[in-house]
Coordinates of all heavy atoms in Angstrom, one line a residue:
F233 N 106.9 -72.6 107.1 CA 107.2 -71.7 108.2 C 108.3 -70.7 107.8 O 109.1 -70.9 107.0 CB 107.6 -72.4 109.4 CG 106.5 -73.3 110.0 CD1 106.6 -74.7 110.0 CD2 105.4 -72.7 110.6 CE1 105.6 -75.4 110.5 CE2 104.4 -73.4 111.1 CZ 104.5 -74.8 111.1
W234 N 108.2 -69.5 108.5 CA 109.2 -68.5 108.2 C 110.3 -68.5 109.3 O 110.0 -68.7 110.5 CB 108.5 -67.1 108.3 CG 107.5 -66.9 107.2 CD1 106.2 -67.3 107.2 CD2 107.7 -66.3 106.0 NE1 105.6 -67.0 106.1 CE2 106.5 -66.3 105.3 CE3 108.8 -65.7 105.4 CZ2 106.4 -65.8 104.0 CZ3 108.7 -65.2 104.1 CH2 107.5 -65.2 103.4
C235 N 111.5 -68.2 109.0 CA 112.6 -68.1 110.0 C 112.5 -66.7 110.5 O 111.8 -65.8 110.0 CB 113.9 -68.4 109.4 SG 114.5 -67.2 108.2
D236 N 113.2 -66.5 111.6 CA 113.2 -65.2 112.3 C 113.7 -64.1 111.4 O 113.1 -63.0 111.4 CB 114.1 -65.2 113.5 CG 113.6 -66.1 114.6 OD1 112.4 -66.4 114.6 OD2 114.3 -66.4 115.6
D237 N 114.7 -64.3 110.5 CA 115.1 -63.3 109.6 C 114.1 -62.9 108.6 O 113.9 -61.7 108.3 CB 116.4 -63.7 108.9 CG 117.6 -63.8 109.8 OD1 117.6 -63.1 110.9 OD2 118.5 -64.7 109.6
C238 N 113.4 -63.9 108.1 CA 112.3 -63.6 107.1 C 111.2 -62.9 107.7 O 110.6 -61.9 107.1 CB 111.8 -64.9 106.5 SG 113.0 -65.8 105.5
V239 N 110.8 -63.2 108.9 CA 109.7 -62.6 109.6 C 110.0 -61.1 109.8 O 109.1 -60.2 109.6 CB 109.3 -63.2 111.0 CG1 108.4 -62.4 111.8 CG2 108.8 -64.6 110.7
S240 N 111.2 -60.7 110.2 CA 111.5 -59.3 110.4 C 111.5 -58.5 109.2 O 111.5 -57.3 109.3 CB 112.9 -59.3 111.1 OG 113.9 -59.7 110.2
Q241 N 111.5 -59.1 108.0 CA 111.5 -58.4 106.8 C 110.1 -58.2 106.2 O 109.9 -57.5 105.2 CB 112.3 -59.1 105.7 CG 113.8 -59.1 106.1 CD 114.6 -59.9 105.2 OE1 114.2 -60.2 104.1 NE2 115.8 -60.3 105.6
I242 N 109.1 -58.8 106.8 CA 107.7 -58.7 106.4 C 107.0 -57.5 107.1 O 106.9 -57.6 108.3 CB 106.9 -60.0 106.6 CG1 107.6 -61.1 105.9 CG2 105.4 -59.8 106.1 CD1 107.0 -62.5 106.3
P243 N 106.6 -56.4 106.4 CA 106.0 -55.3 107.1 C 104.7 -55.7 107.8 O 103.9 -56.5 107.3 CB 105.6 -54.3 105.9 CG 106.5 -54.7 104.8 CD 106.8 -56.2 105.0
G244 N 104.6 -55.2 109.0 CA 103.4 -55.5 109.8 C 103.4 -56.9 110.5 O 102.3 -57.3 110.9
T245 N 104.5 -57.5 110.6 CA 104.6 -58.8 111.3 C 105.5 -58.7 112.5 O 106.5 -57.9 112.5 CB 105.0 -59.9 110.4 OG1 106.3 -59.7 109.9 CG2 104.0 -60.1 109.3
K246 N 105.3 -59.5 113.5 CA 106.2 -59.6 114.6 C 106.3 -61.1 115.0 O 105.3 -61.9 114.8 CB 105.6 -58.9 115.8 CG 105.6 -57.4 115.7 CD 105.2 -56.8 117.0 CE 105.3 -55.3 116.9 NZ 104.9 -54.7 118.2
R247 N 107.4 -61.5 115.4 CA 107.6 -62.8 115.9 C 107.0 -62.9 117.3 O 107.3 -62.1 118.2 CB 109.1 -63.2 116.0 CG 109.3 -64.7 116.3 CD 110.8 -65.0 116.2 NE 111.6 -64.3 117.1 CZ 111.9 -64.7 118.4 NH1 111.4 -65.8 118.8 NH2 112.7 -64.0 119.1
A248 N 106.2 -63.9 117.6 CA 105.6 -64.1 118.9 C 106.6 -64.8 119.8 O 107.4 -65.6 119.4 CB 104.4 -64.9 118.8
S249 N 106.6 -64.3 121.1 CA 107.6 -65.0 122.0 C 107.0 -66.3 122.6 O 107.7 -67.1 123.1 CB 107.9 -64.0 123.2 OG 106.7 -63.6 123.8
Y250 N 105.7 -66.5 122.4 CA 105.1 -67.7 122.9 C 104.0 -68.1 122.0 O 103.3 -67.2 121.5 CB 104.6 -67.5 124.3 CG 104.0 -68.8 124.9 CD1 104.8 -69.7 125.5 CD2 102.6 -69.0 124.8 CE1 104.3 -70.9 126.0 CE2 102.1 -70.2 125.4 CZ 102.9 -71.1 126.0 OH 102.4 -72.2 126.5
P251 N 103.8 -69.3 121.6 CA 104.3 -70.5 122.1 C 105.6 -71.0 121.4 O 106.2 -71.9 121.9 CB 103.2 -71.5 121.8 CG 102.5 -71.0 120.6 CD 102.6 -69.5 120.7
G252 N 106.0 -70.3 120.4 CA 107.3 -70.8 119.7 C 107.8 -69.7 118.7 O 107.1 -68.8 118.4
P253 N 109.0 -69.9 118.3 CA 109.6 -68.9 117.4 C 109.0 -68.9 116.0 O 109.2 -68.0 115.3 CB 111.1 -69.3 117.3 CG 111.0 -70.8 117.6 CD 109.9 -71.0 118.6
W254 N 108.2 -69.9 115.6 CA 107.7 -69.9 114.3 C 106.3 -69.3 114.1 O 105.8 -69.2 113.0 CB 107.6 -71.4 113.8 CG 109.0 -72.0 113.9 CD1 109.3 -73.0 114.8 CD2 110.1 -71.7 113.2 NE1 110.7 -73.3 114.6 CE2 111.2 -72.5 113.6 CE3 110.4 -70.8 112.1 CZ2 112.5 -72.5 113.1 CZ3 111.7 -70.7 111.6 CH2 112.7 -71.6 112.1
L255 N 105.7 -68.9 115.2 CA 104.4 -68.3 115.1 C 104.5 -66.8 114.9 O 105.3 -66.1 115.6 CB 103.6 -68.5 116.4 CG 102.2 -67.9 116.5 CD1 101.3 -68.6 115.5 CD2 101.7 -68.1 117.9
I256 N 103.9 -66.3 113.8 CA 103.9 -64.8 113.6 C 102.5 -64.3 113.6 O 101.5 -65.0 113.4 CB 104.6 -64.5 112.2 CG1 103.8 -65.1 111.1 CG2 106.0 -64.8 112.2 CD1 104.3 -64.6 109.7
R257 N 102.4 -63.0 114.0 CA 101.1 -62.3 114.0 C 101.1 -61.2 113.0 O 102.1 -60.4 112.9 CB 100.9 -61.8 115.4 CG 99.6 -61.1 115.6 CD 99.4 -60.6 117.0 NE 98.1 -59.9 117.1 CZ 97.7 -59.2 118.1 NH1 98.5 -59.1 119.2 NH2 96.6 -58.6 118.1
T258 N 100.1 -61.2 112.2 CA 100.0 -60.2 111.1 C 99.1 -59.1 111.6 O 98.0 -59.4 112.0 CB 99.5 -60.8 109.8 OG1 100.4 -61.9 109.5 CG2 99.5 -59.8 108.7
Y259 N 99.5 -57.9 111.4 CA 98.7 -56.7 111.7 C 98.2 -56.0 110.5 O 98.8 -56.0 109.4 CB 99.5 -55.7 112.5 CG 99.9 -56.1 113.9 CD1 101.2 -56.7 114.0 CD2 99.1 -56.0 115.0 CE1 101.6 -57.1 115.3 CE2 99.5 -56.4 116.2 CZ 100.8 -57.0 116.4 OH 101.2 -57.4 117.6
K260 N 97.0 -55.5 110.5 CA 96.5 -54.7 109.4 C 97.2 -53.3 109.5 O 97.3 -52.7 110.5 CB 95.0 -54.5 109.6 CG 94.3 -53.6 108.5 CD 92.8 -53.4 108.8 CE 92.3 -52.5 107.8 NZ 90.9 -52.1 108.1
M261 N 97.7 -52.9 108.3 CA 98.4 -51.6 108.2 C 97.5 -50.5 107.9 O 96.5 -50.6 107.2 CB 99.5 -51.7 107.2 CG 100.5 -52.9 107.4 SD 101.2 -52.9 109.0 CE 102.4 -51.6 108.9
A262 N 97.8 -49.3 108.5 CA 97.0 -48.1 108.3 C 98.0 -47.0 108.0 O 99.2 -47.1 108.3 CB 96.2 -47.8 109.6
V263 N 97.5 -45.9 107.5 CA 98.3 -44.7 107.2 C 97.6 -43.5 107.9 O 96.4 -43.3 107.7 CB 98.4 -44.5 105.7 CG1 99.2 -43.2 105.4 CG2 99.2 -45.6 105.0
T264 N 98.4 -42.7 108.6 CA 97.9 -41.5 109.3 C 98.8 -40.4 108.9 O 100.0 -40.5 108.8 CB 98.0 -41.7 110.8 OG1 97.2 -42.8 111.2 CG2 97.4 -40.4 111.5
K265 N 98.2 -39.2 108.6 CA 98.9 -38.1 108.1 C 98.8 -36.9 109.1 O 97.7 -36.7 109.7 CB 98.4 -37.6 106.8 CG 99.2 -36.5 106.1 CD 98.6 -36.2 104.7 CE 99.4 -35.0 104.1 NZ 98.8 -34.7 102.8
F266 N 99.9 -36.3 109.4 CA 100.0 -35.1 110.3 C 100.5 -33.9 109.6 O 101.3 -34.0 108.7 CB 100.9 -35.4 111.5 CG 100.5 -36.5 112.4 CD1 101.0 -37.8 112.2 CD2 99.5 -36.3 113.4 CE1 100.6 -38.9 113.0 CE2 99.1 -37.4 114.2 CZ 99.6 -38.7 114.0
D267 N 100.0 -32.7 110.0 CA 100.5 -31.4 109.6 C 101.4 -31.0 110.7 O 101.0 -30.8 111.8 CB 99.4 -30.4 109.3 CG 98.5 -30.8 108.2 OD1 99.0 -31.4 107.2 OD2 97.3 -30.6 108.3
V268 N 102.7 -30.8 110.4 CA 103.7 -30.5 111.4 C 104.5 -29.3 110.9 O 105.0 -29.3 109.8 CB 104.6 -31.7 111.7 CG1 105.7 -31.4 112.8 CG2 103.8 -32.9 112.1
G269 N 104.7 -28.3 111.8 CA 105.4 -27.1 111.4 C 106.9 -27.3 111.4 O 107.7 -26.5 112.0
M270 N 107.4 -28.2 110.6 CA 108.8 -28.5 110.5 C 109.5 -27.4 109.6 O 108.9 -27.0 108.6 CB 109.1 -29.9 109.9 CG 108.5 -31.0 110.6 SD 108.7 -32.6 109.7 CE 107.6 -32.4 108.4
T271 N 110.6 -26.9 110.1 CA 111.3 -25.9 109.3 C 112.7 -26.3 108.8 O 113.3 -25.6 108.0 CB 111.5 -24.6 110.2 OG1 112.2 -25.0 111.4 CG2 110.2 -24.0 110.6
C272 N 113.1 -27.5 109.2 CA 114.4 -28.0 108.7 C 114.5 -29.5 108.9 O 113.6 -30.1 109.4 CB 115.6 -27.3 109.5 SG 115.5 -27.8 111.3
E273 N 115.6 -30.1 108.4 CA 115.8 -31.5 108.5 C 116.0 -32.0 110.0 O 115.7 -33.1 110.3 CB 117.0 -32.0 107.6 CG 116.7 -32.0 106.2 CD 115.5 -32.9 105.8 OE1 115.3 -34.0 106.3 OE2 114.7 -32.4 104.9
G274 N 116.4 -31.0 110.8 CA 116.6 -31.4 112.2 C 115.2 -31.6 112.8 O 115.0 -32.6 113.6
C275 N 114.2 -30.8 112.5 CA 112.8 -31.1 112.9 C 112.3 -32.4 112.4 O 111.7 -33.2 113.1 CB 111.9 -30.0 112.4 SG 112.2 -28.3 113.0
A276 N 112.6 -32.7 111.1 CA 112.1 -33.9 110.5 C 112.8 -35.1 111.2 O 112.1 -36.1 111.4 CB 112.5 -33.9 109.0
S277 N 114.0 -35.0 111.5 CA 114.7 -36.1 112.2 C 114.1 -36.4 113.6 O 114.0 -37.5 114.0 CB 116.2 -35.8 112.3 OG 116.8 -35.8 111.1
A278 N 113.8 -35.3 114.3 CA 113.2 -35.4 115.6 C 111.8 -36.1 115.5 O 111.5 -37.0 116.3 CB 113.1 -34.0 116.3
V279 N 111.0 -35.7 114.5 CA 109.7 -36.3 114.4 C 109.9 -37.8 114.0 O 109.1 -38.6 114.6 CB 108.9 -35.6 113.3 CG1 107.7 -36.3 112.9 CG2 108.6 -34.2 113.8
K280 N 110.8 -38.1 113.1 CA 111.0 -39.5 112.8 C 111.5 -40.3 114.0 O 111.0 -41.5 114.2 CB 112.1 -39.7 111.7 CG 111.6 -39.2 110.3 CD 112.7 -39.4 109.3 CE 112.3 -38.9 107.9 NZ 113.3 -39.1 106.9
R281 N 112.3 -39.8 114.8 CA 112.8 -40.5 116.0 C 111.7 -40.7 117.0 O 111.5 -41.8 117.5 CB 113.9 -39.7 116.7 CG 114.5 -40.3 117.9 CD 115.6 -39.4 118.5 NE 115.3 -38.0 118.7 CZ 114.5 -37.6 119.7 NH1 114.0 -38.3 120.6 NH2 114.3 -36.3 119.7
I282 N 110.9 -39.7 117.2 CA 109.8 -39.8 118.2 C 108.7 -40.8 117.8 O 108.3 -41.7 118.5 CB 109.1 -38.4 118.4 CG1 110.1 -37.5 119.1 CG2 107.8 -38.5 119.1 CD1 109.7 -36.0 119.0
L283 N 108.3 -40.7 116.5 CA 107.3 -41.6 116.0 C 107.8 -43.0 115.8 O 107.1 -44.0 115.9 CB 106.6 -41.1 114.7 CG 105.8 -39.8 114.9 CD1 105.3 -39.3 113.6 CD2 104.7 -40.0 115.9
G284 N 109.1 -43.1 115.5 CA 109.7 -44.4 115.3 C 109.7 -45.3 116.5 O 109.8 -46.5 116.5
K285 N 109.6 -44.6 117.7 CA 109.6 -45.4 119.0 C 108.3 -45.9 119.4 O 108.1 -46.7 120.3 CB 110.2 -44.4 120.1 CG 111.6 -44.1 120.0 CD 112.0 -43.2 121.1 CE 113.5 -42.9 121.0 NZ 113.9 -42.0 122.1
V286 N 107.2 -45.4 118.7 CA 105.9 -45.8 119.0 C 105.7 -47.3 118.5 O 105.9 -47.6 117.3 CB 104.8 -44.9 118.3 CG1 103.4 -45.4 118.6 CG2 105.0 -43.5 118.9
D287 N 105.2 -48.1 119.4 CA 105.0 -49.5 119.0 C 103.9 -49.6 117.9 O 102.9 -49.0 118.0 CB 104.5 -50.3 120.2 CG 104.4 -51.8 120.0 OD1 105.3 -52.3 119.3 OD2 103.4 -52.4 120.4
G288 N 104.3 -50.3 116.9 CA 103.4 -50.5 115.7 C 103.7 -49.6 114.5 O 103.2 -49.9 113.4
V289 N 104.5 -48.6 114.7 CA 104.9 -47.8 113.6 C 106.0 -48.5 112.8 O 107.0 -48.9 113.3 CB 105.4 -46.4 114.1 CG1 106.1 -45.6 113.0 CG2 104.3 -45.6 114.7
T290 N 105.7 -48.6 111.5 CA 106.7 -49.3 110.6 C 107.4 -48.3 109.7 O 108.5 -48.6 109.2 CB 106.0 -50.3 109.7 OG1 104.9 -49.7 109.0 CG2 105.4 -51.4 110.6
E291 N 106.8 -47.1 109.4 CA 107.5 -46.2 108.5 C 107.0 -44.8 108.8 O 105.9 -44.5 109.1 CB 107.2 -46.5 107.0 CG 107.9 -45.6 106.0 CD 107.6 -46.0 104.6 OE1 106.8 -46.9 104.3 OE2 108.0 -45.2 103.7
V292 N 108.0 -43.8 108.8 CA 107.7 -42.4 109.0 C 108.3 -41.7 107.8 O 109.5 -41.7 107.6 CB 108.2 -41.9 110.3 CG1 107.9 -40.4 110.5 CG2 107.7 -42.7 111.5
A293 N 107.4 -41.0 107.0 CA 107.9 -40.2 105.9 C 107.6 -38.7 106.1 O 106.5 -38.4 106.4 CB 107.2 -40.6 104.6
T294 N 108.7 -37.9 106.1 CA 108.5 -36.5 106.4 C 108.8 -35.7 105.1 O 109.6 -36.1 104.3 CB 109.5 -36.0 107.5 OG1 110.8 -36.3 107.0 CG2 109.2 -36.7 108.8
D295 N 108.1 -34.6 105.0 CA 108.3 -33.6 103.9 C 108.3 -32.2 104.5 O 107.3 -31.7 104.8 CB 107.1 -33.7 102.9 CG 107.3 -32.9 101.6 OD1 108.1 -31.9 101.7 OD2 106.7 -33.2 100.6
V296 N 109.5 -31.7 104.6 CA 109.7 -30.4 105.3 C 109.0 -29.3 104.5 O 108.4 -28.4 105.1 CB 111.2 -30.1 105.5 CG1 111.4 -28.7 106.1 CG2 111.8 -31.2 106.4
E297 N 109.2 -29.3 103.2 CA 108.6 -28.3 102.3 C 107.1 -28.2 102.5 O 106.5 -27.2 102.6 CB 109.0 -28.5 100.9 CG 108.6 -27.4 100.0 CD 109.2 -27.6 98.6 OE1 110.4 -27.9 98.4 OE2 108.4 -27.4 97.6
A298 N 106.4 -29.4 102.4 CA 105.0 -29.5 102.5 C 104.5 -29.4 104.0 O 103.3 -29.3 104.2 CB 104.5 -30.7 101.8
K299 N 105.5 -29.6 104.9 CA 105.2 -29.6 106.3 C 104.2 -30.8 106.7 O 103.3 -30.6 107.5 CB 104.7 -28.3 106.8 CG 105.7 -27.2 106.7 CD 105.2 -25.9 107.3 CE 106.2 -24.8 107.1 NZ 107.5 -25.0 107.5
T300 N 104.4 -32.0 106.1 CA 103.6 -33.1 106.4 C 104.4 -34.3 106.8 O 105.6 -34.4 106.5 CB 102.8 -33.5 105.1 OG1 103.7 -33.8 104.1 CG2 101.8 -32.4 104.7
V301 N 103.8 -35.2 107.6 CA 104.3 -36.4 108.0 C 103.3 -37.5 107.8 O 102.2 -37.4 108.2 CB 104.7 -36.4 109.6 CG1 105.2 -37.7 110.0 CG2 105.6 -35.2 109.9
V302 N 103.8 -38.6 107.1 CA 102.9 -39.7 106.8 C 103.4 -40.9 107.5 O 104.6 -41.3 107.3 CB 102.8 -40.0 105.3 CG1 101.9 -41.2 105.0 CG2 102.3 -38.7 104.5
V303 N 102.6 -41.5 108.4 CA 103.0 -42.6 109.2 C 102.3 -43.9 108.8 O 101.1 -43.9 108.7 CB 102.8 -42.3 110.7 CG1 103.3 -43.5 111.6 CG2 103.3 -41.0 111.1
T304 N 103.0 -44.9 108.5 CA 102.5 -46.3 108.2 C 102.6 -47.0 109.5 O 103.7 -47.1 110.1 CB 103.2 -47.0 107.1 OG1 103.2 -46.1 105.9 CG2 102.5 -48.3 106.7
H305 N 101.5 -47.6 109.9 CA 101.5 -48.3 111.2 C 100.4 -49.4 111.3 O 99.5 -49.5 110.5 CB 101.2 -47.3 112.4 CG 100.0 -46.5 112.2 ND1 98.8 -46.9 112.8 CD2 99.7 -45.4 111.5 CE1 97.8 -46.1 112.5 NE2 98.3 -45.1 111.7
S306 N 100.6 -50.3 112.3 CA 99.6 -51.3 112.6 C 98.6 -50.8 113.5 O 98.6 -49.6 113.9 CB 100.3 -52.5 113.2 OG 100.7 -52.2 114.5
D307 N 97.6 -51.6 113.8 CA 96.5 -51.2 114.7 C 97.0 -51.0 116.1 O 96.3 -50.4 117.0 CB 95.4 -52.3 114.7 CG 94.7 -52.3 113.4 OD1 94.7 -51.3 112.6 OD2 94.0 -53.4 113.1
A308 N 98.3 -51.5 116.4 CA 98.8 -51.3 117.7 C 99.1 -49.8 118.0 O 99.2 -49.4 119.2 CB 100.1 -52.1 117.8
A309 N 99.3 -49.0 117.0 CA 99.6 -47.6 117.1 C 98.3 -46.8 116.7 O 97.7 -47.1 115.7 CB 100.7 -47.1 116.2
T310 N 97.9 -45.9 117.6 CA 96.7 -45.1 117.2 C 97.1 -43.7 116.9 O 98.1 -43.2 117.3 CB 95.7 -45.1 118.4 OG1 96.3 -44.3 119.5 CG2 95.3 -46.5 118.9
A311 N 96.3 -43.0 116.1 CA 96.5 -41.6 115.8 C 96.6 -40.7 117.0 O 97.4 -39.8 117.1 CB 95.4 -41.1 114.8
E312 N 95.8 -41.0 118.0 CA 95.7 -40.3 119.2 C 97.1 -40.4 120.0 O 97.6 -39.4 120.5 CB 94.6 -40.7 120.1 CG 93.2 -40.4 119.5 CD 92.7 -41.3 118.4 OE1 93.3 -42.4 118.3 OE2 91.9 -40.9 117.7
D313 N 97.6 -41.6 120.1 CA 98.9 -41.8 120.8 C 100.0 -41.1 120.1 O 100.8 -40.5 120.7 CB 99.2 -43.3 120.9 CG 98.3 -44.1 121.8 OD1 97.7 -43.4 122.7 OD2 98.3 -45.3 121.7
M314 N 100.0 -41.2 118.7 CA 101.1 -40.5 118.0 C 101.0 -39.0 118.1 O 102.0 -38.3 118.3 CB 101.0 -41.0 116.5 CG 101.4 -42.4 116.3 SD 101.5 -42.9 114.6 CE 99.7 -43.0 114.2
L315 N 99.7 -38.5 118.0 CA 99.5 -37.1 118.2 C 100.0 -36.6 119.6 O 100.6 -35.5 119.7 CB 98.0 -36.7 118.0 CG 97.7 -35.3 118.0 CD1 98.4 -34.5 117.0 CD2 96.2 -35.1 117.8
A316 N 99.7 -37.4 120.6 CA 100.1 -37.0 121.9 C 101.7 -36.9 122.0 O 102.2 -35.9 122.6 CB 99.6 -38.0 123.0
K317 N 102.4 -37.8 121.4 CA 103.8 -37.8 121.4 C 104.3 -36.5 120.6 O 105.2 -35.9 121.1 CB 104.4 -39.0 120.7 CG 104.1 -40.3 121.4 CD 104.9 -40.6 122.6 CE 104.6 -42.0 123.1 NZ 105.3 -42.2 124.3
L318 N 103.7 -36.2 119.5 CA 104.1 -35.1 118.7 C 103.7 -33.8 119.5 O 104.5 -32.8 119.4 CB 103.4 -35.1 117.3 CG 103.9 -36.1 116.4 CD1 103.1 -36.1 115.1 CD2 105.4 -35.9 116.1
Q319 N 102.6 -33.7 120.2 CA 102.3 -32.5 120.9 C 103.3 -32.2 122.0 O 103.6 -31.1 122.3 CB 100.8 -32.6 121.5 CG 99.8 -32.5 120.4 CD 98.4 -32.7 120.8 OE1 98.2 -33.5 121.8 NE2 97.4 -32.1 120.2
K320 N 103.8 -33.3 122.7 CA 104.8 -33.1 123.7 C 106.1 -32.4 123.1 O 106.6 -31.5 123.6 CB 105.2 -34.4 124.3 CG 106.1 -34.3 125.5 CD 106.3 -35.7 126.1 CE 107.3 -35.5 127.3 NZ 107.6 -36.8 128.0
W321 N 106.5 -32.9 121.9 CA 107.6 -32.3 121.2 C 107.2 -30.9 120.8 O 108.0 -30.0 120.8 CB 107.9 -33.1 119.9 CG 108.9 -32.5 119.0 CD1 110.2 -32.4 119.1 CD2 108.6 -31.8 117.8 NE1 110.8 -31.7 118.1 CE2 109.8 -31.4 117.2 CE3 107.4 -31.6 117.1 CZ2 109.8 -30.7 116.0 CZ3 107.5 -30.9 115.9 CH2 108.7 -30.5 115.3
S322 N 106.0 -30.7 120.3 CA 105.5 -29.3 119.9 C 105.6 -28.3 121.0 O 106.0 -27.2 120.8 CB 104.1 -29.4 119.5 OG 103.5 -28.2 119.2
Q323 N 105.3 -28.7 122.2 CA 105.4 -27.8 123.4 C 106.8 -27.4 123.6 O 107.1 -26.2 124.0 CB 104.8 -28.4 124.6 CG 103.3 -28.6 124.5 CD 102.7 -29.4 125.7 OE1 103.4 -29.9 126.5 NE2 101.4 -29.4 125.8
A324 N 107.7 -28.3 123.5 CA 109.2 -28.0 123.7 C 109.8 -27.2 122.6 O 110.6 -26.4 122.8 CB 109.9 -29.3 123.9
S325 N 109.3 -27.5 121.3 CA 110.0 -26.9 120.2 C 109.3 -25.6 119.7 O 109.9 -24.8 118.9 CB 110.0 -27.9 119.0 OG 108.7 -28.2 118.6
G326 N 108.0 -25.5 120.1 CA 107.2 -24.3 119.6 C 106.7 -24.6 118.1 O 106.2 -23.6 117.5
K327 N 106.8 -25.8 117.6 CA 106.3 -26.1 116.3 C 104.8 -26.5 116.4 O 104.4 -27.2 117.3 CB 107.1 -27.2 115.6 CG 108.6 -26.9 115.6 CD 109.0 -25.8 114.8 CE 110.5 -25.6 114.8 NZ 111.0 -24.4 114.2
S328 N 104.1 -26.2 115.3 CA 102.7 -26.6 115.3 C 102.5 -28.1 114.9 O 103.4 -28.6 114.2 CB 101.9 -25.8 114.3 OG 102.4 -26.0 113.0
V329 N 101.5 -28.8 115.5 CA 101.2 -30.2 115.2 C 99.7 -30.4 115.1 O 99.0 -29.9 116.0 CB 101.8 -31.1 116.3 CG1 101.4 -32.5 116.0 CG2 103.3 -31.0 116.3
A330 N 99.2 -31.0 114.1 CA 97.8 -31.4 114.0 C 97.6 -32.6 113.2 O 98.4 -32.9 112.3 CB 97.0 -30.2 113.4
L331 N 96.5 -33.3 113.4 CA 96.1 -34.4 112.6 C 95.6 -33.9 111.3 O 94.8 -32.9 111.3 CB 95.1 -35.2 113.3 CG 94.7 -36.6 112.8 CD1 95.9 -37.5 112.7 CD2 93.6 -37.2 113.6
S332 N 96.1 -34.3 110.2 CA 95.7 -33.8 108.9 C 94.3 -34.1 108.6 O 93.8 -35.2 108.9 CB 96.6 -34.3 107.8 OG 96.3 -33.8 106.5
S333 N 93.6 -33.2 107.9 CA 92.2 -33.4 107.5 C 92.2 -34.1 106.1 O 91.1 -34.4 105.6 CB 91.5 -32.1 107.5 OG 92.1 -31.2 106.6
D334 N 93.3 -34.2 105.5 CA 93.4 -34.9 104.1 C 93.1 -36.3 104.2 O 93.5 -37.1 105.0 CB 94.8 -34.7 103.5 CG 95.0 -33.2 103.1 OD1 94.0 -32.4 103.1 OD2 96.2 -32.9 102.8

């Protein structure tokens, strides 16, 4: 069995609250790429903060120069949910956001 500290270090796992602390659930990991009109590290930080709050997101990698965001996530997070969060930021910031075709 894994202790709570070990479970928190395994990407894509969460400790279940019931029936006991030793049960873990493993999620299949996926990668989604977005084209985001980031112009500075402030934009990149905002995108990381927004996407980092989405349940199931385990990593957010931004590239300001290439204007791309690569998100590693479990099945708990969908591309549509993440895109909706980014579009809300887009409306406020005036930056473009789209699901990448790559």
Side-chain angles (χ1 to χ4, degrees):
F233 291 111
W234 295 85
C235 70
D236 292 343
D237 292 332
C238 294
V239 169
S240 66
Q241 296 174 16
I242 302 171
T245 61
K246 289 186 178 182
R247 185 174 65 86
S249 58
Y250 183 83
W254 303 110
L255 179 65
I256 60 173
R257 181 174 178 192
T258 303
Y259 294 95
K260 179 181 174 190
M261 301 308 285
V263 175
T264 303
K265 185 175 178 182
F266 296 96
D267 296 321
V268 180
M270 299 175 292
T271 55
C272 65
E273 286 302 318
C275 297
S277 293
V279 168
K280 286 180 182 179
R281 180 181 48 80
I282 291 164
L283 293 175
K285 291 180 180 180
V286 175
D287 188 39
V289 170
T290 57
E291 183 180 356
V292 180
T294 58
D295 185 337
V296 175
E297 188 174 312
K299 299 188 182 302
T300 59
V301 177
V302 178
V303 184
T304 305
H305 58 92
S306 70
D307 292 340
T310 66
E312 293 78 18
D313 288 342
M314 292 184 286
L315 182 59
K317 300 280 186 187
L318 289 175
Q319 286 174 333
K320 185 175 179 181
W321 170 78
S322 172
Q323 291 173 352
S325 67
K327 309 294 182 187
S328 62
V329 172
L331 191 57
S332 180
S333 58
D334 291 347

